[in-house]
Structure formats: C-alpha cells, structure tokens
Amino acid sequence: MKKLVLLMFLIFTYTFAQEEKQEHVDCVILEDENSIICKYLQTRVDYEKKVIFEWIDPDNEISRKREMIIPPEHGSIYDFRYKDGRKKGEWIFKVIDGKKTYQTKFEIK
C-alpha cells in the first residue's frame, strides 16, 4: 500500500512538473488510499519562502490553516489529508504566497 501511495505521489509530481512552470495549485483525491493530496507549484527562487495553506470546507469554514516553509530552489510543496471524516461537498484549497493567493476546488462525495 505504501508503494502505491509513493507511486501515485511520483506520478502526480511528474505530471504537474511538466505542465506548469509558474505558480499553480491542484488537488488529487486517491479513493483507494482514502487520501487527498494538494500541491503548490512555484517558480524556483534562491531563498526560503513561507506560504500559508488553507483547507476551506463546504460550509466556508477553515478546516485547517498551516504555515509551510519552501526551502531555497524547491519548486513545490504538498499537504495531505485523509478523506474519511471530511464534510461532503465542494472544498477549496488555498495557498497564500505573500500578497498573491492561489486556489483550487475539489469535491468530496
């Protein structure tokens, strides 16, 4: 099972690394692994950056807010949550990077 999660993670990483060269957010729901993986892709910089991740539930309440550090020269950062126990409906995953905000939506059925 761990190998499958790792394989999906690597595929997810490779796919999005090829598609975008600028800031972008996206989430993938892995039903068989009961997990949600959300990724923030950024243009690489030579300094450490702090970003804020927000998971906003269908009732428009922040379910989780995390400050994350992106090391110098890194192009992406991920956050992971289990699907079970989450409210059903449309969720928003938001990344605040300085004065810029990026977001995507996904649905838990």
Side-chain angles (χ1 to χ4, degrees):
M1 184 181 283
K2 289 181 182 180
K3 289 181 182 179
L4 181 59
V5 170
L6 179 61
L7 177 63
M8 293 302 295
F9 181 76
L10 292 173
I11 290 170
F12 182 74
T13 301
Y14 178 77
T15 300
F16 290 105
Q18 299 301 315
E19 289 181 7
E20 295 286 334
K21 297 296 181 195
Q22 54 187 322
E23 289 76 7
H24 179 78
V25 294
D26 203 7
C27 296
V28 173
I29 298 174
L30 302 173
E31 297 288 345
D32 59 333
E33 296 295 328
N34 181 36
S35 58
I36 306 162
I37 301 172
C38 292
K39 174 182 176 179
Y40 173 54
L41 181 72
Q42 68 160 9
T43 302
R44 294 174 191 266
V45 293
D46 61 355
Y47 53 89
E48 180 178 279
K49 280 175 67 173
K50 290 182 183 178
V51 296
I52 297 171
F53 282 7
E54 292 182 346
W55 295 73
I56 302 168
D57 70 22
D59 295 330
N60 209 31
E61 296 178 9
I62 296 175
S63 171
R64 173 158 72 180
K65 184 174 185 173
R66 293 180 72 184
E67 185 175 283
M68 310 272 293
I69 295 175
I70 304 174
E73 301 300 335
H74 283 241
S76 62
I77 192 166
Y78 303 83
D79 201 9
F80 164 88
R81 297 194 77 184
Y82 289 106
K83 183 179 164 236
D84 284 352
R86 307 274 162 244
K87 292 180 182 176
K88 297 193 184 318
E90 187 176 83
W91 283 70
I92 298 171
F93 176 72
K94 184 185 292 187
V95 176
I96 302 165
D97 184 351
K99 295 181 181 178
K100 296 181 181 177
T101 301
Y102 306 92
Q103 71 179 35
T104 190
K105 296 178 181 180
F106 61 92
E107 185 174 358
I108 297 178
K109 298 178 182 181

PDB file of all heavy atoms in Angstrom, residues 25 40 49-55 62 64-70 77 79 93-103:
ATOM      1  N   VAL A  25      -1.889  25.659  -8.147  1.00  0.00           N
ATOM      2  CA  VAL A  25      -2.315  24.721  -7.112  1.00  0.00           C
ATOM      3  C   VAL A  25      -3.231  23.677  -7.725  1.00  0.00           C
ATOM      4  O   VAL A  25      -3.957  23.951  -8.673  1.00  0.00           O
ATOM      5  CB  VAL A  25      -3.036  25.403  -5.917  1.00  0.00           C
ATOM      6  CG1 VAL A  25      -2.093  26.284  -5.151  1.00  0.00           C
ATOM      7  CG2 VAL A  25      -4.231  26.177  -6.367  1.00  0.00           C
ATOM      8  N   TYR A  40       1.255  22.839  -4.225  1.00  0.00           N
ATOM      9  CA  TYR A  40       1.504  24.203  -4.690  1.00  0.00           C
ATOM     10  C   TYR A  40       2.812  24.190  -5.469  1.00  0.00           C
ATOM     11  O   TYR A  40       3.858  23.801  -4.945  1.00  0.00           O
ATOM     12  CB  TYR A  40       1.607  25.173  -3.515  1.00  0.00           C
ATOM     13  CG  TYR A  40       2.028  26.569  -3.909  1.00  0.00           C
ATOM     14  CD1 TYR A  40       1.338  27.276  -4.893  1.00  0.00           C
ATOM     15  CD2 TYR A  40       3.116  27.176  -3.304  1.00  0.00           C
ATOM     16  CE1 TYR A  40       1.730  28.558  -5.253  1.00  0.00           C
ATOM     17  CE2 TYR A  40       3.506  28.461  -3.656  1.00  0.00           C
ATOM     18  CZ  TYR A  40       2.812  29.139  -4.633  1.00  0.00           C
ATOM     19  OH  TYR A  40       3.191  30.412  -4.992  1.00  0.00           O
ATOM     20  N   LYS A  49      10.961  30.518   1.449  1.00  0.00           N
ATOM     21  CA  LYS A  49       9.684  31.229   1.411  1.00  0.00           C
ATOM     22  C   LYS A  49       8.708  30.598   2.384  1.00  0.00           C
ATOM     23  O   LYS A  49       8.676  29.379   2.535  1.00  0.00           O
ATOM     24  CB  LYS A  49       9.062  31.153   0.013  1.00  0.00           C
ATOM     25  CG  LYS A  49       9.632  32.122  -0.962  1.00  0.00           C
ATOM     26  CD  LYS A  49       9.082  31.946  -2.356  1.00  0.00           C
ATOM     27  CE  LYS A  49       7.633  32.271  -2.486  1.00  0.00           C
ATOM     28  NZ  LYS A  49       7.180  32.236  -3.882  1.00  0.00           N
ATOM     29  N   LYS A  50       7.892  31.443   3.005  1.00  0.00           N
ATOM     30  CA  LYS A  50       6.800  30.957   3.838  1.00  0.00           C
ATOM     31  C   LYS A  50       5.500  31.164   3.073  1.00  0.00           C
ATOM     32  O   LYS A  50       5.269  32.219   2.499  1.00  0.00           O
ATOM     33  CB  LYS A  50       6.736  31.712   5.165  1.00  0.00           C
ATOM     34  CG  LYS A  50       7.876  31.404   6.086  1.00  0.00           C
ATOM     35  CD  LYS A  50       7.727  32.133   7.397  1.00  0.00           C
ATOM     36  CE  LYS A  50       8.937  31.854   8.281  1.00  0.00           C
ATOM     37  NZ  LYS A  50       8.860  32.573   9.540  1.00  0.00           N
ATOM     38  N   VAL A  51       4.690  30.109   3.034  1.00  0.00           N
ATOM     39  CA  VAL A  51       3.368  30.192   2.423  1.00  0.00           C
ATOM     40  C   VAL A  51       2.353  29.671   3.434  1.00  0.00           C
ATOM     41  O   VAL A  51       2.705  28.951   4.376  1.00  0.00           O
ATOM     42  CB  VAL A  51       3.272  29.394   1.096  1.00  0.00           C
ATOM     43  CG1 VAL A  51       4.190  29.985   0.036  1.00  0.00           C
ATOM     44  CG2 VAL A  51       3.578  27.928   1.297  1.00  0.00           C
ATOM     45  N   ILE A  52       1.103  30.028   3.241  1.00  0.00           N
ATOM     46  CA  ILE A  52       0.038  29.555   4.121  1.00  0.00           C
ATOM     47  C   ILE A  52      -0.913  28.697   3.300  1.00  0.00           C
ATOM     48  O   ILE A  52      -1.359  29.099   2.230  1.00  0.00           O
ATOM     49  CB  ILE A  52      -0.714  30.746   4.755  1.00  0.00           C
ATOM     50  CG1 ILE A  52       0.240  31.556   5.632  1.00  0.00           C
ATOM     51  CG2 ILE A  52      -1.914  30.242   5.561  1.00  0.00           C
ATOM     52  CD1 ILE A  52      -0.337  32.866   6.127  1.00  0.00           C
ATOM     53  N   PHE A  53      -1.199  27.505   3.809  1.00  0.00           N
ATOM     54  CA  PHE A  53      -2.176  26.600   3.202  1.00  0.00           C
ATOM     55  C   PHE A  53      -3.465  26.687   4.003  1.00  0.00           C
ATOM     56  O   PHE A  53      -3.439  26.624   5.232  1.00  0.00           O
ATOM     57  CB  PHE A  53      -1.688  25.147   3.256  1.00  0.00           C
ATOM     58  CG  PHE A  53      -0.659  24.780   2.219  1.00  0.00           C
ATOM     59  CD1 PHE A  53      -0.085  25.714   1.380  1.00  0.00           C
ATOM     60  CD2 PHE A  53      -0.274  23.462   2.093  1.00  0.00           C
ATOM     61  CE1 PHE A  53       0.858  25.337   0.434  1.00  0.00           C
ATOM     62  CE2 PHE A  53       0.664  23.075   1.146  1.00  0.00           C
ATOM     63  CZ  PHE A  53       1.231  24.012   0.316  1.00  0.00           C
ATOM     64  N   GLU A  54      -4.591  26.809   3.316  1.00  0.00           N
ATOM     65  CA  GLU A  54      -5.902  26.796   3.953  1.00  0.00           C
ATOM     66  C   GLU A  54      -6.792  25.772   3.266  1.00  0.00           C
ATOM     67  O   GLU A  54      -6.886  25.754   2.044  1.00  0.00           O
ATOM     68  CB  GLU A  54      -6.576  28.169   3.880  1.00  0.00           C
ATOM     69  CG  GLU A  54      -5.909  29.232   4.692  1.00  0.00           C
ATOM     70  CD  GLU A  54      -6.611  30.571   4.648  1.00  0.00           C
ATOM     71  OE1 GLU A  54      -7.496  30.774   3.781  1.00  0.00           O
ATOM     72  OE2 GLU A  54      -6.287  31.423   5.485  1.00  0.00           O
ATOM     73  N   TRP A  55      -7.418  24.937   4.061  1.00  0.00           N
ATOM     74  CA  TRP A  55      -8.414  23.980   3.594  1.00  0.00           C
ATOM     75  C   TRP A  55      -9.764  24.530   4.050  1.00  0.00           C
ATOM     76  O   TRP A  55     -10.019  24.632   5.247  1.00  0.00           O
ATOM     77  CB  TRP A  55      -8.180  22.608   4.211  1.00  0.00           C
ATOM     78  CG  TRP A  55      -6.894  21.940   3.813  1.00  0.00           C
ATOM     79  CD1 TRP A  55      -5.635  22.272   4.218  1.00  0.00           C
ATOM     80  CD2 TRP A  55      -6.747  20.828   2.937  1.00  0.00           C
ATOM     81  NE1 TRP A  55      -4.715  21.419   3.663  1.00  0.00           N
ATOM     82  CE2 TRP A  55      -5.370  20.529   2.873  1.00  0.00           C
ATOM     83  CE3 TRP A  55      -7.648  20.049   2.210  1.00  0.00           C
ATOM     84  CZ2 TRP A  55      -4.881  19.477   2.095  1.00  0.00           C
ATOM     85  CZ3 TRP A  55      -7.151  19.008   1.440  1.00  0.00           C
ATOM     86  CH2 TRP A  55      -5.779  18.728   1.395  1.00  0.00           C
ATOM     87  N   ILE A  62     -12.688  27.513   7.674  1.00  0.00           N
ATOM     88  CA  ILE A  62     -11.332  26.991   7.519  1.00  0.00           C
ATOM     89  C   ILE A  62     -11.188  25.747   8.381  1.00  0.00           C
ATOM     90  O   ILE A  62     -11.299  25.795   9.598  1.00  0.00           O
ATOM     91  CB  ILE A  62     -10.282  28.052   7.906  1.00  0.00           C
ATOM     92  CG1 ILE A  62     -10.371  29.236   6.941  1.00  0.00           C
ATOM     93  CG2 ILE A  62      -8.874  27.449   7.891  1.00  0.00           C
ATOM     94  CD1 ILE A  62      -9.465  30.397   7.301  1.00  0.00           C
ATOM     95  N   ARG A  64      -8.416  23.698   8.157  1.00  0.00           N
ATOM     96  CA  ARG A  64      -7.019  23.666   8.608  1.00  0.00           C
ATOM     97  C   ARG A  64      -6.281  24.828   7.953  1.00  0.00           C
ATOM     98  O   ARG A  64      -6.481  25.129   6.790  1.00  0.00           O
ATOM     99  CB  ARG A  64      -6.333  22.357   8.228  1.00  0.00           C
ATOM    100  CG  ARG A  64      -4.836  22.415   8.541  1.00  0.00           C
ATOM    101  CD  ARG A  64      -4.159  21.097   8.709  1.00  0.00           C
ATOM    102  NE  ARG A  64      -3.978  20.358   7.480  1.00  0.00           N
ATOM    103  CZ  ARG A  64      -3.386  19.172   7.454  1.00  0.00           C
ATOM    104  NH1 ARG A  64      -2.946  18.620   8.556  1.00  0.00           N
ATOM    105  NH2 ARG A  64      -3.253  18.528   6.332  1.00  0.00           N
ATOM    106  N   LYS A  65      -5.415  25.430   8.743  1.00  0.00           N
ATOM    107  CA  LYS A  65      -4.557  26.514   8.255  1.00  0.00           C
ATOM    108  C   LYS A  65      -3.149  26.209   8.727  1.00  0.00           C
ATOM    109  O   LYS A  65      -2.925  26.000   9.918  1.00  0.00           O
ATOM    110  CB  LYS A  65      -5.039  27.852   8.806  1.00  0.00           C
ATOM    111  CG  LYS A  65      -4.283  29.047   8.303  1.00  0.00           C
ATOM    112  CD  LYS A  65      -4.940  30.331   8.800  1.00  0.00           C
ATOM    113  CE  LYS A  65      -4.265  31.546   8.208  1.00  0.00           C
ATOM    114  NZ  LYS A  65      -4.990  32.786   8.554  1.00  0.00           N
ATOM    115  N   ARG A  66      -2.213  26.136   7.776  1.00  0.00           N
ATOM    116  CA  ARG A  66      -0.824  25.784   8.110  1.00  0.00           C
ATOM    117  C   ARG A  66       0.142  26.742   7.444  1.00  0.00           C
ATOM    118  O   ARG A  66      -0.009  27.049   6.258  1.00  0.00           O
ATOM    119  CB  ARG A  66      -0.473  24.388   7.587  1.00  0.00           C
ATOM    120  CG  ARG A  66      -1.189  23.269   8.249  1.00  0.00           C
ATOM    121  CD  ARG A  66      -0.775  21.944   7.668  1.00  0.00           C
ATOM    122  NE  ARG A  66       0.573  21.610   8.078  1.00  0.00           N
ATOM    123  CZ  ARG A  66       1.235  20.544   7.660  1.00  0.00           C
ATOM    124  NH1 ARG A  66       0.678  19.716   6.809  1.00  0.00           N
ATOM    125  NH2 ARG A  66       2.445  20.294   8.095  1.00  0.00           N
ATOM    126  N   GLU A  67       1.145  27.159   8.194  1.00  0.00           N
ATOM    127  CA  GLU A  67       2.245  27.898   7.590  1.00  0.00           C
ATOM    128  C   GLU A  67       3.295  26.878   7.195  1.00  0.00           C
ATOM    129  O   GLU A  67       3.709  26.052   8.022  1.00  0.00           O
ATOM    130  CB  GLU A  67       2.823  28.897   8.583  1.00  0.00           C
ATOM    131  CG  GLU A  67       3.890  29.768   7.973  1.00  0.00           C
ATOM    132  CD  GLU A  67       4.385  30.834   8.932  1.00  0.00           C
ATOM    133  OE1 GLU A  67       3.664  31.832   9.119  1.00  0.00           O
ATOM    134  OE2 GLU A  67       5.490  30.643   9.491  1.00  0.00           O
ATOM    135  N   MET A  68       3.700  26.924   5.942  1.00  0.00           N
ATOM    136  CA  MET A  68       4.672  25.963   5.425  1.00  0.00           C
ATOM    137  C   MET A  68       5.887  26.731   4.905  1.00  0.00           C
ATOM    138  O   MET A  68       5.761  27.846   4.415  1.00  0.00           O
ATOM    139  CB  MET A  68       4.059  25.149   4.277  1.00  0.00           C
ATOM    140  CG  MET A  68       2.705  24.538   4.579  1.00  0.00           C
ATOM    141  SD  MET A  68       2.741  22.930   5.331  1.00  0.00           S
ATOM    142  CE  MET A  68       3.390  21.914   4.059  1.00  0.00           C
ATOM    143  N   ILE A  69       7.046  26.104   5.002  1.00  0.00           N
ATOM    144  CA  ILE A  69       8.278  26.717   4.520  1.00  0.00           C
ATOM    145  C   ILE A  69       8.744  25.957   3.281  1.00  0.00           C
ATOM    146  O   ILE A  69       8.877  24.733   3.300  1.00  0.00           O
ATOM    147  CB  ILE A  69       9.365  26.697   5.605  1.00  0.00           C
ATOM    148  CG1 ILE A  69       8.918  27.577   6.776  1.00  0.00           C
ATOM    149  CG2 ILE A  69      10.706  27.167   5.030  1.00  0.00           C
ATOM    150  CD1 ILE A  69       9.847  27.545   7.962  1.00  0.00           C
ATOM    151  N   ILE A  70       8.992  26.718   2.214  1.00  0.00           N
ATOM    152  CA  ILE A  70       9.542  26.134   0.989  1.00  0.00           C
ATOM    153  C   ILE A  70      11.035  26.448   0.989  1.00  0.00           C
ATOM    154  O   ILE A  70      11.431  27.616   0.989  1.00  0.00           O
ATOM    155  CB  ILE A  70       8.876  26.727  -0.267  1.00  0.00           C
ATOM    156  CG1 ILE A  70       7.352  26.552  -0.202  1.00  0.00           C
ATOM    157  CG2 ILE A  70       9.447  26.071  -1.525  1.00  0.00           C
ATOM    158  CD1 ILE A  70       6.593  27.234  -1.324  1.00  0.00           C
ATOM    159  N   ILE A  77       5.487  22.234  -2.971  1.00  0.00           N
ATOM    160  CA  ILE A  77       5.257  21.771  -1.605  1.00  0.00           C
ATOM    161  C   ILE A  77       3.866  21.151  -1.567  1.00  0.00           C
ATOM    162  O   ILE A  77       2.983  21.560  -2.317  1.00  0.00           O
ATOM    163  CB  ILE A  77       5.426  22.921  -0.586  1.00  0.00           C
ATOM    164  CG1 ILE A  77       5.485  22.374   0.841  1.00  0.00           C
ATOM    165  CG2 ILE A  77       4.384  23.987  -0.771  1.00  0.00           C
ATOM    166  CD1 ILE A  77       5.983  23.388   1.850  1.00  0.00           C
ATOM    167  N   ASP A  79       0.526  19.151   0.754  1.00  0.00           N
ATOM    168  CA  ASP A  79      -0.164  18.899   2.013  1.00  0.00           C
ATOM    169  C   ASP A  79      -1.073  17.708   1.777  1.00  0.00           C
ATOM    170  O   ASP A  79      -1.564  17.489   0.662  1.00  0.00           O
ATOM    171  CB  ASP A  79      -0.962  20.119   2.467  1.00  0.00           C
ATOM    172  CG  ASP A  79      -1.266  20.096   3.965  1.00  0.00           C
ATOM    173  OD1 ASP A  79      -0.728  19.227   4.675  1.00  0.00           O
ATOM    174  OD2 ASP A  79      -2.038  20.946   4.419  1.00  0.00           O
ATOM    175  N   PHE A  93      -9.076  24.628  -1.668  1.00  0.00           N
ATOM    176  CA  PHE A  93      -7.701  24.584  -1.172  1.00  0.00           C
ATOM    177  C   PHE A  93      -7.045  25.878  -1.622  1.00  0.00           C
ATOM    178  O   PHE A  93      -7.000  26.191  -2.809  1.00  0.00           O
ATOM    179  CB  PHE A  93      -6.954  23.375  -1.724  1.00  0.00           C
ATOM    180  CG  PHE A  93      -5.515  23.337  -1.307  1.00  0.00           C
ATOM    181  CD1 PHE A  93      -5.170  23.030  -0.006  1.00  0.00           C
ATOM    182  CD2 PHE A  93      -4.508  23.617  -2.214  1.00  0.00           C
ATOM    183  CE1 PHE A  93      -3.840  23.003   0.389  1.00  0.00           C
ATOM    184  CE2 PHE A  93      -3.175  23.589  -1.830  1.00  0.00           C
ATOM    185  CZ  PHE A  93      -2.841  23.281  -0.525  1.00  0.00           C
ATOM    186  N   LYS A  94      -6.540  26.649  -0.662  1.00  0.00           N
ATOM    187  CA  LYS A  94      -6.000  27.978  -0.948  1.00  0.00           C
ATOM    188  C   LYS A  94      -4.564  28.074  -0.447  1.00  0.00           C
ATOM    189  O   LYS A  94      -4.246  27.580   0.632  1.00  0.00           O
ATOM    190  CB  LYS A  94      -6.861  29.023  -0.242  1.00  0.00           C
ATOM    191  CG  LYS A  94      -6.472  30.457  -0.524  1.00  0.00           C
ATOM    192  CD  LYS A  94      -7.288  31.440   0.307  1.00  0.00           C
ATOM    193  CE  LYS A  94      -8.729  31.470  -0.110  1.00  0.00           C
ATOM    194  NZ  LYS A  94      -9.480  32.554   0.591  1.00  0.00           N
ATOM    195  N   VAL A  95      -3.731  28.720  -1.261  1.00  0.00           N
ATOM    196  CA  VAL A  95      -2.347  28.986  -0.874  1.00  0.00           C
ATOM    197  C   VAL A  95      -2.133  30.495  -0.922  1.00  0.00           C
ATOM    198  O   VAL A  95      -2.443  31.137  -1.924  1.00  0.00           O
ATOM    199  CB  VAL A  95      -1.342  28.291  -1.818  1.00  0.00           C
ATOM    200  CG1 VAL A  95       0.090  28.661  -1.448  1.00  0.00           C
ATOM    201  CG2 VAL A  95      -1.521  26.786  -1.788  1.00  0.00           C
ATOM    202  N   ILE A  96      -1.623  31.030   0.170  1.00  0.00           N
ATOM    203  CA  ILE A  96      -1.302  32.450   0.240  1.00  0.00           C
ATOM    204  C   ILE A  96       0.217  32.558   0.217  1.00  0.00           C
ATOM    205  O   ILE A  96       0.899  32.059   1.116  1.00  0.00           O
ATOM    206  CB  ILE A  96      -1.890  33.097   1.512  1.00  0.00           C
ATOM    207  CG1 ILE A  96      -3.411  32.892   1.527  1.00  0.00           C
ATOM    208  CG2 ILE A  96      -1.520  34.570   1.584  1.00  0.00           C
ATOM    209  CD1 ILE A  96      -4.062  33.153   2.860  1.00  0.00           C
ATOM    210  N   ASP A  97       0.725  33.179  -0.838  1.00  0.00           N
ATOM    211  CA  ASP A  97       2.158  33.343  -1.046  1.00  0.00           C
ATOM    212  C   ASP A  97       2.441  34.847  -1.104  1.00  0.00           C
ATOM    213  O   ASP A  97       2.285  35.472  -2.156  1.00  0.00           O
ATOM    214  CB  ASP A  97       2.571  32.657  -2.344  1.00  0.00           C
ATOM    215  CG  ASP A  97       4.070  32.709  -2.591  1.00  0.00           C
ATOM    216  OD1 ASP A  97       4.789  33.416  -1.865  1.00  0.00           O
ATOM    217  OD2 ASP A  97       4.533  32.042  -3.541  1.00  0.00           O
ATOM    218  N   GLY A  98       2.795  35.419   0.032  1.00  0.00           N
ATOM    219  CA  GLY A  98       2.995  36.867   0.097  1.00  0.00           C
ATOM    220  C   GLY A  98       1.675  37.584  -0.130  1.00  0.00           C
ATOM    221  O   GLY A  98       0.698  37.342   0.561  1.00  0.00           O
ATOM    222  N   LYS A  99       1.643  38.431  -1.144  1.00  0.00           N
ATOM    223  CA  LYS A  99       0.427  39.178  -1.467  1.00  0.00           C
ATOM    224  C   LYS A  99      -0.452  38.463  -2.485  1.00  0.00           C
ATOM    225  O   LYS A  99      -1.540  38.927  -2.807  1.00  0.00           O
ATOM    226  CB  LYS A  99       0.788  40.564  -1.988  1.00  0.00           C
ATOM    227  CG  LYS A  99       1.470  41.433  -0.947  1.00  0.00           C
ATOM    228  CD  LYS A  99       1.800  42.802  -1.485  1.00  0.00           C
ATOM    229  CE  LYS A  99       2.509  43.622  -0.418  1.00  0.00           C
ATOM    230  NZ  LYS A  99       2.889  44.937  -0.915  1.00  0.00           N
ATOM    231  N   LYS A 100       0.013  37.326  -2.993  1.00  0.00           N
ATOM    232  CA  LYS A 100      -0.742  36.578  -4.001  1.00  0.00           C
ATOM    233  C   LYS A 100      -1.455  35.388  -3.369  1.00  0.00           C
ATOM    234  O   LYS A 100      -0.942  34.766  -2.441  1.00  0.00           O
ATOM    235  CB  LYS A 100       0.178  36.092  -5.118  1.00  0.00           C
ATOM    236  CG  LYS A 100       0.800  37.228  -5.902  1.00  0.00           C
ATOM    237  CD  LYS A 100       1.672  36.698  -7.001  1.00  0.00           C
ATOM    238  CE  LYS A 100       2.313  37.838  -7.769  1.00  0.00           C
ATOM    239  NZ  LYS A 100       3.218  37.336  -8.803  1.00  0.00           N
ATOM    240  N   THR A 101      -2.639  35.083  -3.905  1.00  0.00           N
ATOM    241  CA  THR A 101      -3.425  33.940  -3.435  1.00  0.00           C
ATOM    242  C   THR A 101      -3.772  33.064  -4.630  1.00  0.00           C
ATOM    243  O   THR A 101      -4.176  33.568  -5.682  1.00  0.00           O
ATOM    244  CB  THR A 101      -4.712  34.423  -2.739  1.00  0.00           C
ATOM    245  OG1 THR A 101      -4.359  35.247  -1.638  1.00  0.00           O
ATOM    246  CG2 THR A 101      -5.535  33.252  -2.242  1.00  0.00           C
ATOM    247  N   TYR A 102      -3.634  31.761  -4.445  1.00  0.00           N
ATOM    248  CA  TYR A 102      -3.962  30.782  -5.477  1.00  0.00           C
ATOM    249  C   TYR A 102      -4.919  29.781  -4.853  1.00  0.00           C
ATOM    250  O   TYR A 102      -4.783  29.448  -3.676  1.00  0.00           O
ATOM    251  CB  TYR A 102      -2.701  30.056  -5.963  1.00  0.00           C
ATOM    252  CG  TYR A 102      -1.629  31.013  -6.409  1.00  0.00           C
ATOM    253  CD1 TYR A 102      -0.650  31.456  -5.528  1.00  0.00           C
ATOM    254  CD2 TYR A 102      -1.606  31.494  -7.715  1.00  0.00           C
ATOM    255  CE1 TYR A 102       0.322  32.352  -5.926  1.00  0.00           C
ATOM    256  CE2 TYR A 102      -0.635  32.392  -8.125  1.00  0.00           C
ATOM    257  CZ  TYR A 102       0.332  32.811  -7.221  1.00  0.00           C
ATOM    258  OH  TYR A 102       1.293  33.706  -7.621  1.00  0.00           O
ATOM    259  N   GLN A 103      -5.890  29.300  -5.635  1.00  0.00           N
ATOM    260  CA  GLN A 103      -6.805  28.321  -5.066  1.00  0.00           C
ATOM    261  C   GLN A 103      -7.331  27.382  -6.136  1.00  0.00           C
ATOM    262  O   GLN A 103      -7.285  27.670  -7.325  1.00  0.00           O
ATOM    263  CB  GLN A 103      -7.962  29.008  -4.339  1.00  0.00           C
ATOM    264  CG  GLN A 103      -8.953  29.695  -5.220  1.00  0.00           C
ATOM    265  CD  GLN A 103     -10.085  30.322  -4.404  1.00  0.00           C
ATOM    266  OE1 GLN A 103      -9.874  30.812  -3.297  1.00  0.00           O
ATOM    267  NE2 GLN A 103     -11.287  30.310  -4.948  1.00  0.00           N
TER     268      GLN A 103
END
